Amino acid sequence: MASTSATSILLFPATIPTITSTPSACPSKKTTILRQRHHRRTVSCRASGADDGGLLWLPRRGVLTSLTGAAAGLVGYPNLTSIALEANPVDTCKRGEKVSEKLVECSDPNRDFPCPPSLKVPIVDFKPESTVKRIRRPVHLLDKEYQDKYKKAIRKMKDLEPSNPLSFAAQAAIHESYCDGHYRYDPTEKNRPFDVHFSWIFAPWHRMYIYFYEKALGDLVGDDTFALPYWNWDSPEGMGIPAIFKDPNDDNPLYDPNRDMTHRDALIDLDYLHADKSVGPIPFVKTPATAAAYDAAVNKNLATIYQQQIRGGRGPRAFLGEKLCSEASFRVKEINERSKRRQNGKQIKTDSSQSQGTLERMAHTAVHVWVGRQKPKTGCTLADGVLGHDGQPHCAYDMGFLGTAGRDPLFYSHHSNVDRMWHLWSTKLGNEGFTDTEWLDASFVFYDNYKEPRLVRIKFRDVLDARNLGYTYDAESEASLPWINSKPTPLSPTGGGSSARSGAAAPPEFPLTLVSEKAVVVPGVAVPAKEAGMDLVLVIEGIEYNPQMNNKFDVAINCPKEVAKGVGPQHTEYAGSFTAVPSSKANGGTLLGKVTLFVDGVLADLGAAGDATVDVVLVPRVGDITVYFAPTIQNA
């Protein structure tokens, strides 16, 4: 779930009493996990063979809101979200574990709902499409005829029996199962959550997922040129929920009542969770009274995309994320010792080398939480929300919660634009992706053809060029990118130079509990000499947080404490942030994350590229976050 500024976030439960680990970054020896403090009944379904695909956990009929009936009917389609990574088990870290469909299982530790039985279902290999038939366009520019076709396609998809794996209910279940804890990595040995976020899997998996969704919509309206329109939130004219999704009449299949209605007609904030809470949303329609705030917000949005695509996204690790590592790793004992001293014996898990890229951690995450219905301030019952994987009600949804995000049709047009960001990064901006064979040959299986569903195995190498999938993006949108020159400017009058340093300020003591809007300066962080072929990265390990709520802190370099509250993506001092879309992971406990920010460009912009030390500033925004280790800057 990044060459001048990327984020790394790994989600592992922080409630398991004791862990032993070998010291390598991704140990090849199997990690032993002792029994959890509170025994939970576990039901696991192990993938049984290369032609069986993986197994999907789904609740019984009527358990999940808006997915009524999906589970009972899906028994005949056990591979609906079959784990891929199935072609030739590979080493996903330098010295790491192999990952294949035999090592990833669908299990649910908290409910008496087994996975569907494993049935022999033929799997065919993906074949590239011979021509480009589908042109994806901005939603807000669609003509009436295309809008009607889009609505008709979604209506037909929603009308399919939930047992059909191409139904809307089943498509939403795909995202839920892969993104909210239903899949586990080798439960009998390690029981690690498997998630398509927080690593280099994010972009190709979502491209595959949206591709098969788009094809199904075209099939349903008998039009093989139908393309999924994208929500153009990176351009001022698209920085609001498109009108086609806002009409609440009963006949509009694109409307979802589980959104934050205070944002219905607002200008989107691509740096959401940073906004001044005393200031309400800015209306999408600009007026003389709102002109100054509107222009500033638009400029910050454009700067956010510039940070994501250019300043913080040079190189595949920066933009797409770090490789998936199957094992928990480094500093386990030290984290546990610090936790015991600080929290009266509480033990937590470690993090690993998994890492979000800027594509995932920036605008993508902000849009999710900005659109989704916010959790009520007082209580949450099942009558108010939805039942999560942890067996508890969750009231922040649909887009604002990983378990329900796929239930909002807006989600798919949002991810169409996320995919477009990758497309632009690869084409317009001239970047190259990974060449690692473990990434190129990783594969997933998806259902195709709603009339006679079949499973298609598709590899990452198959989706690097959108033309292989028969689609591209409208040339008009690529001709003018308003964010491409939105370079950051200094927040501090000193421009982040040496005069902005805190001097003899005492370093904070770690572990450190972050308090909203109270900046913490870590002075004198050593900057090593840059090695040939390496990037300088700012690493913060041991970030403990509650995944069921919004969490965010920003990271700045050489930013005076007295102005740090105002730092954002539009400023040269900004290095990145830690944030994640809420989920029900950890069964009510906390998780540990890690953030890795690529800072070569930040240091250059600050005129600090040759400095021996810099000040790192943590600026908490929201959440209940404890940081166990001080930031370090490393060659990577």
Side-chain angles (χ1 to χ4, degrees), residues 104-181:
V104 181
E105 302 175 6
C106 178
S107 62
D108 193 302
N110 291 313
R111 298 191 200 154
D112 190 17
F113 297 118
C115 301
S118 178
L119 303 177
K120 290 289 182 179
V121 179
I123 299 176
V124 300
D125 288 319
F126 169 81
K127 293 182 180 179
E129 297 199 25
S130 58
T131 59
V132 175
K133 295 181 179 180
R134 300 184 298 282
I135 309 297
R136 294 182 181 176
R137 296 180 173 86
V139 176
H140 71 278
L141 295 181
L142 298 181
D143 59 31
K144 180 64 164 55
E145 181 181 0
Y146 207 102
Q147 289 182 28
D148 290 343
K149 183 181 293 186
Y150 189 15
K151 290 180 180 179
K152 180 180 179 181
I154 297 294
R155 190 176 297 112
K156 283 180 170 289
M157 181 177 274
K158 288 189 172 185
D159 286 344
L160 289 175
E161 287 295 321
S163 59
N164 189 314
L166 277 304
S167 70
F168 190 82
Q171 291 295 298
I174 292 175
H175 191 266
E176 175 182 5
S177 62
Y178 270 119
C179 307
D180 196 33

Side-chain angles (χ1 to χ4, degrees), residues 2 165 173 188 233 306 388 407 425 524 626:
T188 59
W233 36 251
Y306 179 86
R407 302 182 194 184
W425 181 84
T626 295

